[in-house]
């Protein structure tokens, strides 16, 4: 019996890892206007809710970036990550503002989240023509914006975790990116 249980667990991990590899490449690079975007995700032995994404063809020629984490490990976390990815991609193309897209995403996640599950997420829309970046942080570790001159800015604006509260109190921040800035 234990051998069958272990095999089922191993099959679940392989299935979850397959979902993750299909939805987010281990490595990616994109050049759009003056932007250079790169990402990497190396899966460990277990499947997780780790998430990163680049969204292209957004309204007004903007490019979206996102990094997040679903609580827990295994197939459940990987499936919630896949659901969150789909919601973010859909709402980013239809909502007029980033904080509204994340609020809609939260509304869709709350009824389906199991007790104790949540999603932390940082997302940004960047205009490659002028470097204007709108961003929102839903409970994720605040990212650092390292300016070309060496100054470091912590991007605090945001709100609460997604999938937990009816109103995550999201607040959008705006910053002007310059050549050589790194996020």
């Amino acid at each position: 019996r234990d051998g069958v249980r272990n095999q089922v667990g191993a099959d679940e991990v392989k299935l979850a890892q397959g979902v993750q590899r299909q939805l987010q490449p281990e490595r990616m690079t994109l050049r759009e206007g003056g932007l250079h975007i790169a990402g990497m995700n190396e899966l460990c032995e277990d499947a997780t809710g780790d998430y990163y994404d680049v969204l292209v063809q957004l309204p007004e020629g903007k490019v979206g970036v996102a990094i997040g984490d679903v609580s827990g490990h295994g197939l459940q976390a990987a499936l919630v990550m896949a659901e969150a990815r789909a919601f973010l991609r859909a709402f980013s193309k239809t909502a007029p503002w980033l904080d509204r897209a994340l609020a809609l995403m939260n509304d869709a996640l709350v009824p389906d989240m199991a007790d104790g599950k949540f999603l932390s997420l940082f997302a940004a829309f960047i205009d490659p023509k002028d470097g204007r970046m709108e961003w929102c942080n839903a409970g994720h570790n605040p990212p650092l914006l390292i300016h070309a001159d060496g100054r470091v800015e912590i991007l605090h604006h945001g709100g609460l975790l997604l999938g937990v509260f009816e109103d995550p109190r999201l607040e959008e921040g705006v910053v002007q990116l310059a050549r050589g800035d790194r996020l």
Side-chain angles (χ1 to χ4, degrees), residues 9 26 32 39 42 56 88 92 103 124 126 128 133 144-145 147 149 158 161 167 176 182:
E26 287 183 25
E32 185 77 28
E42 189 171 323
V56 293
L88 182 61
S92 292
I126 306 166
M133 181 175 83
L144 303 175
L145 175 57
H147 293 277
D149 64 8
L161 299 161
D167 178 12
Q176 188 66 42
R182 293 174 289 145

Side-chain angles (χ1 to χ4, degrees), residues 109-178:
L109 287 170
V110 165
D112 294 340
M113 293 296 254
D115 287 343
K117 286 288 180 201
F118 59 85
L119 167 68
S120 68
L121 180 74
F122 170 84
F125 290 171
I126 306 166
D127 187 332
K129 294 181 291 292
D130 66 8
R132 183 176 193 269
M133 181 175 83
E134 306 156 12
W135 55 273
C136 191
N137 188 0
H140 202 66
N141 296 333
L144 303 175
L145 175 57
I146 304 167
H147 293 277
D149 64 8
R151 288 180 300 118
V152 177
E153 186 175 348
I154 301 172
L155 303 182
H156 287 293
H157 279 83
L160 303 173
L161 299 161
L162 300 179
V164 179
F165 306 102
E166 294 289 327
D167 178 12
R169 297 188 296 253
L170 298 167
E171 186 179 317
E172 195 173 286
V174 177
V175 69
Q176 188 66 42
L177 299 177

Side-chain angles (χ1 to χ4, degrees):
R1 254 173 117 179
D2 286 339
V4 170
R5 190 173 306 154
N6 288 340
Q7 183 58 45
V8 169
D11 290 345
E12 179 183 295
V13 168
K14 285 181 185 172
L15 178 62
Q17 286 180 332
V19 167
Q20 286 183 296
R21 283 190 178 100
Q22 199 168 29
L23 296 179
Q24 60 185 11
E26 287 183 25
R27 293 180 189 277
M28 61 80 52
T29 301
L30 172 76
R31 289 190 184 273
E32 185 77 28
L35 297 177
H36 179 206
I37 302 170
M40 184 182 102
N41 182 37
E42 189 171 323
L43 295 175
C44 62
E45 293 178 16
D46 199 1
T48 69
D50 294 344
Y51 170 55
Y52 83 93
D53 204 357
V54 176
L55 298 88
V56 293
Q57 299 176 337
L58 294 178
E60 302 171 12
K62 294 178 182 174
V63 174
V65 294
I67 185 166
D69 192 10
V70 176
S71 59
H73 296 274
L75 184 56
Q76 185 180 19
L79 291 174
V80 170
M81 181 276 295
E83 182 181 29
R85 177 185 183 267
F87 288 145
L88 182 61
R89 285 175 165 237
F91 295 136
S92 292
K93 291 187 179 198
T94 58
W97 302 282
L98 179 58
D99 57 348
R100 182 68 185 135
L102 268 56
L104 289 168
M105 189 176 165
N106 183 69
D107 291 347
L109 287 170
V110 165
D112 294 340
M113 293 296 254
D115 287 343
K117 286 288 180 201
F118 59 85
L119 167 68
S120 68
L121 180 74
F122 170 84
F125 290 171
I126 306 166
D127 187 332
K129 294 181 291 292
D130 66 8
R132 183 176 193 269
M133 181 175 83
E134 306 156 12
W135 55 273
C136 191
N137 188 0
H140 202 66
N141 296 333
L144 303 175
L145 175 57
I146 304 167
H147 293 277
D149 64 8
R151 288 180 300 118
V152 177
E153 186 175 348
I154 301 172
L155 303 182
H156 287 293
H157 279 83
L160 303 173
L161 299 161
L162 300 179
V164 179
F165 306 102
E166 294 289 327
D167 178 12
R169 297 188 296 253
L170 298 167
E171 186 179 317
E172 195 173 286
V174 177
V175 69
Q176 188 66 42
L177 299 177
R179 186 173 216 52
D181 287 353
R182 293 174 289 145
L183 179 65

